[in-house]
């Protein structure tokens, strides 16, 4: 512990089991710049004196208590930079900030008592506090409690949280460079940005083995993100009193009940300029200049710096988003090629030529598309729409659907490899879920008054605790007594009732979505006749009548209406989902996030995709035929597809919803936070922002919140569904997604760096439950695209006609349109559906179907060609699914989840780390030779050498 003896100021924490079940800060000793010692507040606690805390500060206000430390420094606050991230002494770093408004007129004594008790308990746990009085704040109302974690607190909790720290610089040779690396040089960032720190061998921190770790400076050994994670861990567990017979604890509840208005770690500087104090760090400025600016959209992301500043959890999100965007580039290129193929072949499409031909399409009289009000119409009026339909309904559609099925597999498999590489580089190979994620939620402990013994958890944790020193053992013993031996639980009957209510609520909202979709369908059915009447009788619309058909006008307006309903339902359900998840009282943080994720994804899946599923698989499939149409609710006649197919309508629906969602999402994410922050500054401040302290500047920003990352993932996963589930209908969907994601990365980075407070750092080794959701959507996408090609596209009927029914060898597709339309005798119309207009000289009309003509003995029954086409569609679905699934599973089998190079480096690093630890143990044994008998030393040396030999064999 020589390193500790050299410190300018010493802090000693002693952990003892008390009636209050918390650790006690027993002694502070500070040294002023002249070298003279001055005693700070002294807190001593044992089992008999626990109730007398806070000792000499008893009877003082919360503010007076927390200012005692700084009062002994003799530091002039006026000399401190407004952008400083240190206490008034300029030495102790601010690791967290709490803010509150102390207004007796608006709050009772209860909040004051809660704050006093909470802050006293924070002092007892070893944290140091300093309060900025409200008279020093700009608004004259807000107090800021600055929190500093001294060395002893950091080392104790780093051991408890099993945080890995560097022990030696990594000397493993780097992997061979890619010979084409120079081609990517324009996309690279400077090395100091990409690799802000050297690569080290690491090991779980141990207070007893501090000499083993690479500690150059105790003030910088723990990065700010690690420090704020440790402090938040303490804040989330710290009690503040007993109310209604229940023990209350945790900063989250204090924020909920208004005791504190905010709790956040500080950014290290202003984003637009570097800090004057070099000890403050300028990582925020670097992230803004090298990452968050849109003009840097073509540059790689500084993932190591993102991880260092924001933590692994946010780092893994941006790594996934960046990789997803890179893979979208290949899908977008292939999709654009398929689109241009359709564009080039559009004029030579025989179906469009026949529809547009005046002697063919102009001579075909089609049956009315609605009852009574609609007139007969000529087929060539859909000339333009049939040409546009060919853009997306051609042979390339089949190729692209198969390609996307394989692309999804490659994306997921290569992401696993990328994720494994990040796990190695970010030292997460042996990572188990964050203890904060696996431990009991404070809300669970507060609401579950019944307790039971958990022998499994107790056994595991008590075995692990003996690797700690004296203080760590006492801390874990207290935790075992408080949580592990007798942990709270929710009775099975209560769980069942809560799950039943939660399930019923989710089903109700899904039913509401289905009801809204039916309402949109009714709108489509009811307004089509109105559009048809208006367009036929309005002379001003005649010039565009060939382009803006009643079908297209109905589809566009219905899609826009559907999008508005989707946004409204999303807004309402987000709050309902959080409420019912809280009502379920999940046991751990991880369980809470997984439950909320499944609820939100299930809802948004139905909300966003239901209308697309309707157009793709239901519209035009159950229409009937003239004289025997199918009606919804016995009132509205079901919709028919355009003679050129329903694919163009699915494309329209998909484009409006997908593009609308992306535009609205970017407005929500970028413009609204900026407007809100600007408005708050305008209302609360009278001077320039540059004059305010670091904690006040951050206090005015938006809170990212514990679910901030959840909504980012959800947005991208819903987009992933659009480009996979329905991509056969719109090859340009990956291109739209690519352009959106290039903007999304910079918008997310900009808002996180400039418009939001610094989030609490958290660890994560993967994207979590989202990986399973993506896998499920990948499998489902193969099925949906096969059905779209078979039933929504016109490809299978054309192929059947080409190979089985064509009579012209020189032009096999000629006559297809006439073959695909059946004949109906106008006199067979019932009086209730007979069009009101005059029929003219014609006695028959045509409709899209394969049925016998009225003069056939099987009048209006399906022809054999219909059954041939149906059989071909089913055969195509089975063949395509089997081919794509076989290729998918073969590709997944061929590509290992972890690269062989990474496996070798992991084994090598483990071996070297074990060797370093054993060398350390041997050196410690040699130092203790004079205090041990020869027999004891020989026994321990033999045991240590045996461990090393075993490690060599295993390595």
């Amino acid at each position: 512990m020589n390193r500790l003896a050299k410190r300018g100021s010493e802090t000693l924490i002693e952990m003892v089991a008390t009636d209050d079940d918390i650790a006690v800060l027993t002694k502070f000793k500070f040294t002023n710049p002249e070298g003279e010692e001055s005693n700070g507040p002294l807190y001593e606690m044992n089992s008999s004196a626990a109730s007398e805390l806070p000792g000499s500060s008893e009877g003082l206000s919360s503010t007076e208590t927390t200012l005692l430390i700084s009062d002994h420094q003799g530091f002039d606050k006026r000399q401190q930079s407004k952008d400083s991230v240190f206490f008034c002494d300029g030495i102790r770093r601010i690791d967290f900030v709490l803010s509150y408004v102390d207004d007796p007129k608006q709050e009772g004594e209860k909040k004051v008592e809660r704050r006093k008790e909470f802050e006293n308990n924070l002092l007892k746990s070893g944290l140091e506090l300093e309060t900025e009085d409200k008279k020093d704040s700009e608004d004259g109302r807000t107090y800021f409690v600055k929190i500093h974690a001294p060395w002893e607190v950091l080392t104790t909790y780093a051991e408890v949280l099993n945080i890995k720290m560097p022990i030696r610089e990594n000397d493993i040779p780097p992997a061979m460079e890619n010979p084409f690396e120079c081609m990517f040089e324009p996309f690279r960032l400077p090395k100091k940005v990409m690799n802000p720190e050297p690569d080290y061998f690491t090991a779980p921190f141990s207070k007893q083995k501090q000499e083993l770790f690479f500690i150059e400076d105790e003030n910088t050994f723990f990065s700010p993100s690690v420090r704020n994670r440790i402090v938040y861990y303490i804040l989330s567990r710290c009690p503040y009193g007993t109310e209604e017979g229940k023990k209350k604890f945790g900063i989250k509840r204090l924020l909920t009940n208004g005791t504190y208005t905010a709790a956040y770690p500080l950014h290290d500087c202003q984003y637009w300029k570097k800090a004057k104090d070099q000890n403050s760090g300028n990582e925020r400025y670097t992230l803004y200049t090298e990452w968050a600016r849109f003009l840097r959209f073509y540059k790689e992301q500084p993932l190591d710096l993102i991880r260092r500043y924001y933590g692994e959890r946010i780092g893994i999100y941006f790594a996934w988003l960046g990789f997803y965007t890179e893979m979208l580039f290949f899908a977008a290129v292939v999709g654009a090629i398929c689109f241009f193929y359709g564009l080039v072949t559009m004029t030579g499409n025989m179906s469009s030529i026949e529809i547009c031909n005046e002697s063919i399409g102009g001579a075909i009289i089609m049956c009315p598309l609605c009852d009574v009000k609609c007139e007969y119409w000529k087929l060539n009026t859909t000339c333009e729409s049939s040409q546009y339909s060919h853009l997306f309904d051609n042979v390339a559609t089949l190729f692209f659907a198969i390609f996307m099925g394989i692309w999804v597999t490659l994306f997921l498999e290569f992401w696993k490899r990328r994720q494994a590489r990040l796990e190695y580089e970010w030292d997460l190979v042996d990572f188990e879920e964050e203890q904060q994620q696996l431990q009991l939620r404070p809300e669970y402990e507060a609401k579950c008054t019944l307790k039971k013994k958990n022998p499994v958890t107790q056994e595991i944790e008590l075995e692990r605790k003996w690797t700690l020193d004296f203080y760590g053992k006492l801390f874990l013993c207290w935790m075992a007594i408080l949580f592990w031996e007798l942990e709270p639980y929710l009775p099975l009957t209560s769980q069942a009732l809560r799950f039943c209510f939660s399930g019923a609520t989710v089903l109700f909202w899904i039913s509401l979505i289905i009801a809204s979709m039916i309402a949109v369908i009714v709108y489509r059915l009811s307004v089509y006749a109105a559009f048809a009447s208006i367009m036929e009788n309005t002379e001003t619309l005649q010039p565009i009548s060939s382009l803006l058909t009643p079908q297209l006008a109905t589809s566009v307006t219905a899609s826009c209406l559907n999008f508005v309903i989707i946004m409204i339902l999303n807004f309402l359900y987000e709050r309902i989902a959080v409420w019912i998840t809280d009502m379920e009282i999940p046991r751990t943080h991880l369980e809470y996030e997984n439950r909320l994720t499944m609820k939100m994804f299930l809802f948004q899946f139905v909300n966003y995709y239901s209308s697309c599923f309707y157009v793709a698989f239901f519209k035009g499939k159950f229409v009937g035929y003239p004289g025997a149409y199918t009606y919804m609710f016995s009132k509205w006649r079901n919709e028919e597809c355009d003679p050129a197919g329903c694919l163009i309508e699915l494309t329209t629906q998909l484009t409006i919803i997908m593009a609308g969602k992306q535009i609205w999402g970017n407005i929500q994410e970028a413009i609204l936070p900026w407007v809100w922050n600007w408005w708050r500054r305008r209302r609360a401040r009278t001077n320039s922002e540059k004059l305010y302290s670091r904690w006040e500047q951050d206090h005015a920003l938006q809170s990212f919140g514990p679910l901030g990352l959840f909504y980012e993932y959800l947005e991208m996963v819903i987009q992933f569904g659009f480009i996979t589930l329905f991509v056969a209908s719109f090859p340009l969907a990956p291109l739209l997604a690519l352009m959106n994601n290039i903007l999304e990365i910079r918008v997310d980075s900009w808002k996180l760096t400039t418009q939001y407070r610094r989030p609490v750092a958290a660890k994560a080794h993967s994207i979590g439950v989202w990986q399973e959701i993506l896998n499920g959507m990948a499998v489902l996408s193969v099925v949906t695209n096969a059905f779209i090609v078979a039933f929504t596209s016109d490809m299978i009927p054309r192929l059947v006609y080409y190979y089985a029914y064509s009579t012209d060898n020189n032009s096999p597709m000629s006559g297809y349109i006439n073959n695909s339309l059946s004949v109906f005798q106008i006199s067979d119309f019932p009086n209730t559906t007979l069009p009101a207009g005059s029929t003219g000289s014609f006695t028959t009309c045509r409709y899209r179907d394969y049925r016998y003509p009225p003069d056939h003995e099987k009048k209006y029954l399906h022809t054999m060609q219909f059954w041939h086409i149906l059989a071909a569609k089913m055969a195509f679905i089975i063949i395509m699914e089997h081919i794509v699934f076989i290729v998918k599973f073969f590709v997944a089998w061929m590509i290992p989840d972890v690269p062989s190079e990474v496996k070798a480096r992991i084994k090598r690093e483990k071996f070297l780390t074990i060797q370093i630890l054993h060398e350390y143990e041997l050196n410690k044994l040699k130092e203790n030779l004079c205090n041990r008998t020869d027999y004891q030393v020989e026994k321990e040396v033999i045991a240590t050498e045996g461990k090393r030999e075993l490690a060599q064999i295993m390595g």
Side-chain angles (χ1 to χ4, degrees):
M1 293 292 184
N2 295 334
R3 192 177 292 102
L4 295 179
K6 296 178 182 179
R7 298 177 64 196
S9 60
E10 297 182 354
T11 306
L12 179 62
I13 297 180
E14 293 182 3
M15 302 287 187
V16 294
T18 69
D19 295 338
D20 290 335
D21 293 324
I22 60 173
V24 184
L25 181 62
T26 58
K27 183 177 181 180
F28 290 93
K29 186 179 290 184
F30 299 96
T31 305
N32 60 26
E34 289 75 25
E36 298 178 358
E37 290 187 353
S38 60
N39 293 327
L42 180 64
Y43 296 104
E44 294 182 354
M45 183 176 184
N46 52 38
S47 58
S48 61
S51 61
E52 298 179 3
L53 282 166
S56 60
S57 64
E58 186 175 5
L60 299 177
S61 69
S62 174
T63 303
E64 291 169 333
T65 302
T66 54
L67 280 172
L68 283 174
I69 297 175
S70 61
D71 287 345
H72 289 269
Q73 304 303 317
F75 187 87
D76 188 358
K77 290 173 57 178
R78 290 174 296 181
Q79 298 177 2
Q80 190 177 30
S81 169
K82 283 289 186 180
D83 206 35
S84 173
V85 293
F86 295 93
F87 275 19
C88 289
D89 57 13
I91 299 174
R92 289 171 293 168
R93 188 181 190 92
I94 301 172
D95 297 314
F96 227 86
V97 174
L98 307 178
S99 66
Y100 64 90
V101 176
D102 188 8
D103 190 349
K105 296 180 180 179
Q106 298 183 2
E107 62 177 21
E109 291 295 325
K110 183 176 289 187
K111 291 183 180 180
V112 177
E113 291 299 322
R114 286 174 184 163
R115 282 195 293 268
K116 182 177 180 180
E117 181 70 17
F118 186 71
E119 292 174 17
N120 284 340
N121 287 335
L122 291 179
L123 289 170
K124 295 173 188 178
S125 66
L127 298 177
E128 298 174 4
L129 310 182
E130 182 179 78
T131 299
E132 287 287 323
D133 195 83
K134 64 181 180 181
K135 64 184 180 182
D136 295 324
S137 64
E138 173 60 23
D139 60 8
R141 301 172 58 247
T142 306
Y143 291 91
F144 292 94
V145 181
K146 297 172 286 185
I147 301 175
H148 169 75
W151 175 258
E152 288 295 329
V153 171
L154 295 172
T155 54
T156 298
Y157 283 92
E159 187 170 11
V160 170
L161 295 176
N162 204 32
I163 296 176
K164 289 185 177 182
M165 301 304 294
I167 55 177
R168 184 180 298 178
E169 192 164 346
N170 192 337
D171 57 0
I172 299 178
M176 295 182 60
E177 291 188 3
N178 188 338
F180 302 100
E181 190 72 20
C182 58
M183 297 176 57
F184 301 99
E185 193 62 32
F187 308 103
R188 301 297 185 197
L189 288 173
K191 189 173 182 180
K192 64 180 181 179
V193 177
M194 291 300 299
N195 303 299
E197 57 187 358
D199 189 17
Y200 293 100
F201 294 135
T202 61
F205 188 79
S206 172
K207 288 182 69 175
Q208 292 181 330
K209 301 177 182 178
Q210 290 190 43
E211 294 84 357
L212 176 65
F213 293 89
F214 195 75
I215 306 178
E216 290 184 336
D217 185 356
E218 291 176 358
N219 294 322
T220 59
F221 178 64
F222 293 103
S223 66
S225 61
V226 173
R227 296 174 69 101
N228 75 56
R229 184 157 64 96
I230 290 175
V231 173
Y232 185 75
Y233 177 86
I234 299 173
L235 291 173
S236 65
R237 316 301 297 172
C238 184
Y240 59 84
T242 302
E243 298 176 8
E244 300 177 357
K246 297 180 181 179
K247 192 170 186 179
K248 303 291 185 178
F249 52 89
I251 186 62
K252 185 176 179 181
R253 296 184 66 86
L254 291 174
L255 291 172
T256 301
N257 60 34
T259 303
Y260 290 99
T261 56
Y264 52 94
L266 291 179
H267 285 294
D268 59 3
C269 66
Q270 295 171 335
Y271 67 85
W272 65 83
K273 69 176 182 180
K274 294 183 178 181
K276 296 180 180 178
D277 188 350
Q278 295 301 318
N279 294 325
S280 296
N282 294 289
E283 292 177 351
R284 186 190 187 192
Y285 172 79
T286 304
L287 286 171
Y288 174 71
T289 55
E290 301 290 346
W291 178 49
R293 289 182 174 178
F294 181 74
L295 293 179
R296 293 279 182 172
F297 72 92
Y298 62 95
K299 293 285 188 179
E300 61 183 337
Q301 297 186 86
L303 294 177
D304 286 345
L305 186 58
I306 297 170
R307 170 241 183 175
R308 175 179 170 84
Y309 192 73
Y310 290 115
E312 288 79 1
R313 196 176 183 195
I314 290 179
I316 203 76
Y317 163 73
F318 281 103
W320 175 81
L321 180 57
F323 182 79
Y324 171 45
T325 304
E326 291 173 11
M327 291 294 291
L328 273 176
F329 173 78
F330 302 101
V333 169
V334 177
I337 292 174
C338 293
F339 175 78
F340 283 117
Y341 171 82
L343 187 63
V344 171
T345 59
M346 183 172 65
T347 56
N349 177 37
M350 183 57 67
S351 298
S352 300
I353 292 174
E354 290 187 345
I355 291 175
C356 297
N357 192 306
E358 192 67 32
S359 61
I360 300 176
I364 296 177
I365 305 300
M366 301 296 294
C367 296
L369 293 174
C370 65
D371 295 337
V372 183
K373 295 183 180 180
C374 293
E375 299 289 340
Y376 298 96
W377 54 284
K378 293 184 178 182
L379 181 60
N380 65 349
T381 57
T382 61
C383 174
E384 283 80 2
S385 63
S386 67
Q387 290 177 338
Y388 293 136
S389 179
H390 179 74
L391 287 173
F392 310 106
D393 190 1
N394 52 67
V395 178
T397 301
L398 174 60
F399 167 76
F400 192 59
I402 296 175
F403 168 81
M404 287 302 295
I406 300 172
W407 175 88
V408 168
T409 303
L410 291 174
F411 164 64
L412 295 175
E413 292 302 319
F414 282 128
W415 165 246
K416 291 178 184 177
R417 292 169 62 85
R418 176 67 172 134
Q419 189 169 263
R421 193 177 296 277
L422 285 175
E423 286 182 18
Y424 167 73
E425 293 174 355
W426 291 356
D427 210 12
L428 300 168
V429 173
D430 297 323
F431 171 76
E432 296 179 359
E433 289 295 341
E434 182 85 5
Q435 286 202 17
Q436 283 182 247
Q437 296 292 309
L438 290 179
Q439 69 184 197
L440 300 181
R441 296 172 63 239
E443 294 85 350
Y444 181 86
E445 298 174 29
K447 294 180 181 179
C448 301
T449 56
L450 300 177
K451 294 184 181 293
K452 68 176 182 180
K453 191 173 184 178
N454 189 332
V456 177
T457 311
Q458 177 187 356
E459 179 181 348
I460 293 173
E461 296 296 340
L462 292 181
E463 178 182 355
R464 184 181 141 215
K465 72 178 183 182
W466 297 113
T467 63
L468 304 177
D469 65 351
F470 173 73
Y471 304 116
K473 291 174 184 177
L474 286 177
F475 173 80
L476 287 176
C477 283
W478 163 65
M479 292 291 286
I481 293 172
L482 186 60
F483 299 115
W484 295 330
E485 290 187 1
L486 289 176
E487 67 173 15
Y489 78 100
L490 193 64
L492 185 60
T493 53
S494 179
Q495 290 184 43
L497 289 173
R498 292 173 186 273
F499 275 118
C500 288
F501 180 78
S502 174
T505 305
V506 173
L507 288 176
F508 168 78
W509 278 89
I510 291 178
S511 301
L512 192 62
I513 296 173
I514 297 174
S516 67
M517 184 188 70
I518 294 174
V520 173
I521 295 173
V522 171
Y523 164 83
R524 299 169 71 109
L525 301 178
S526 59
V527 303
Y528 177 80
F531 276 121
S533 177
I534 292 173
M535 291 181 179
E536 288 178 3
N537 300 323
T538 305
E539 294 182 358
T540 56
L541 296 177
Q542 291 302 319
I544 61 171
S545 60
S546 59
L547 180 63
L548 186 63
T549 62
Q551 295 99 316
L552 183 59
T554 303
S555 181
V556 170
T557 56
S559 299
C560 294
L561 177 63
N562 188 66
F563 175 72
V564 173
I565 293 175
I566 286 173
M567 293 294 103
I568 294 173
L569 290 177
N570 269 348
F571 177 79
L572 297 175
Y573 183 77
E574 284 179 5
R575 286 144 184 81
I576 297 295
V578 172
W579 175 72
I580 59 178
T581 306
D582 289 337
M583 183 271 301
E584 290 176 6
I585 318 180
R587 188 172 182 273
T588 65
H589 294 276
L590 184 63
E591 188 177 344
Y592 180 90
E593 289 186 6
N594 289 346
R595 290 189 188 182
L596 182 61
T597 297
M598 294 310 298
K599 288 184 183 66
M600 287 296 299
F601 173 75
L602 179 62
F603 175 84
Q604 295 219 10
F605 183 92
V606 179
N607 197 21
Y608 279 108
Y609 304 144
S610 58
S611 58
C612 293
F613 273 103
Y614 164 74
V615 175
F617 306 125
F618 295 98
K619 182 181 178 182
K621 306 302 185 293
F622 310 100
V623 177
Y625 62 94
Y629 286 118
T630 305
Y631 291 83
M632 177 181 287
F633 305 127
S634 301
K635 184 177 181 180
W636 291 287
R637 188 175 123 187
N638 285 354
E639 289 183 282
E640 296 183 45
C641 287
D642 189 273
C646 271
L647 201 67
I648 188 65
E649 291 192 43
L650 178 58
T651 304
T652 303
Q653 182 88 6
L654 186 67
T655 304
I656 290 176
I657 295 179
M658 183 178 176
K661 181 183 182 303
Q662 292 180 168
I663 294 171
W664 175 247
N666 287 325
I667 291 175
Q668 270 190 313
E669 292 181 14
I671 299 178
L672 291 183
W674 180 84
V675 171
W676 182 248
N677 288 336
W678 173 82
W679 180 249
R680 288 180 63 179
R681 289 194 299 268
R682 183 179 178 86
R683 290 185 59 190
R685 298 178 176 181
T686 56
N687 299 322
S688 171
E689 181 179 339
K690 299 178 182 180
L691 301 177
Y692 295 95
S693 60
R694 172 84 270 125
W695 46 89
E696 284 187 284
Q697 291 179 36
D698 286 5
H699 182 262
L701 300 177
Q702 298 290 299
S703 173
F704 191 63
L707 297 178
L709 212 55
F710 164 81
Y711 290 112
E712 301 296 339
Y713 274 118
L714 183 61
E715 179 186 5
M716 289 295 102
V717 169
I718 294 298
Q719 182 204 83
F720 181 82
F722 280 123
I723 69 165
T724 54
L725 297 178
F726 309 102
V727 74
S729 67
F730 190 34
L732 291 180
L735 181 61
L736 289 181
L738 174 64
M739 293 188 294
N740 174 79
N741 287 9
I742 292 174
L743 179 64
E744 181 76 20
I745 292 175
R746 303 304 157 178
V747 168
D748 285 349
S749 59
W750 175 80
K751 72 177 183 182
L752 200 62
T753 307
T754 66
Q755 302 302 310
Y756 283 90
R757 299 169 188 157
R758 186 175 184 173
V760 179
K763 283 202 170 189
H765 70 295
S766 68
I767 61 176
V769 71
W770 299 109
Q771 182 78 35
E772 300 304 320
I773 292 175
L774 292 175
N775 289 333
M777 295 181 73
V779 174
L780 181 61
S781 68
V782 177
V783 179
T784 57
N785 283 300
F787 272 86
I788 287 173
V789 173
F791 287 97
T792 310
S793 166
D794 249 16
M795 183 175 299
I796 302 302
R798 289 172 187 165
L799 291 176
V800 171
Y801 178 81
Y802 182 92
Y803 288 106
Y805 293 91
S806 176
T807 58
D808 188 347
N809 294 329
N810 296 325
S811 180
M813 288 305 297
S814 62
Y816 168 73
I817 291 297
N818 185 65
N819 177 264
S820 65
L821 298 175
S822 298
V823 180
F824 181 76
Q825 188 74 33
I826 293 177
S827 60
D828 291 337
F829 267 119
N831 292 331
T832 55
T833 62
L834 187 66
S838 173
T839 59
S841 60
F842 52 89
T843 59
T844 61
C845 63
R846 309 294 292 273
Y847 61 98
R848 181 183 172 85
D849 207 343
Y850 294 92
R851 294 179 182 272
Y852 289 109
D855 56 353
H856 197 277
E857 60 180 3
K858 296 181 180 179
K859 180 179 179 180
Y860 301 142
L861 294 180
H862 283 123
T863 64
M864 188 56 65
Q865 186 176 354
F866 170 84
W867 300 110
H868 286 169
I869 293 173
L870 181 62
K873 289 180 177 179
M874 301 307 297
F876 169 81
I877 291 172
I878 294 172
I879 293 172
M880 178 180 170
E881 286 182 356
H882 279 71
I883 290 175
V884 175
F885 279 133
I886 289 172
V887 174
K888 280 170 62 71
F889 291 133
F890 179 74
V891 169
W893 175 74
M894 285 289 293
I895 302 175
D897 292 348
V898 182
S900 57
E901 172 219 343
V902 173
K903 286 182 180 178
R905 293 174 71 86
I906 288 172
K907 291 180 180 179
R908 175 66 176 165
E909 182 169 337
K910 283 185 177 180
F911 168 74
L912 293 177
T913 303
I914 292 174
Q915 197 173 42
I916 293 170
L917 292 172
H918 289 166
E919 287 177 359
Y920 171 80
E921 292 178 0
L922 283 175
N923 292 333
K924 294 295 290 184
L925 284 174
K926 292 177 182 178
E927 293 178 2
N928 295 331
L929 281 175
C930 59
N931 299 325
R932 304 285 187 92
T933 64
D934 293 340
Y935 173 74
Q936 290 175 322
V937 172
E938 182 180 359
K939 185 177 179 181
E940 293 189 11
V941 170
I942 292 173
T944 304
E945 291 292 347
K947 292 179 182 178
R948 177 187 294 179
E949 293 175 1
L950 180 61
Q952 291 176 344
I953 295 172
M954 294 176 65

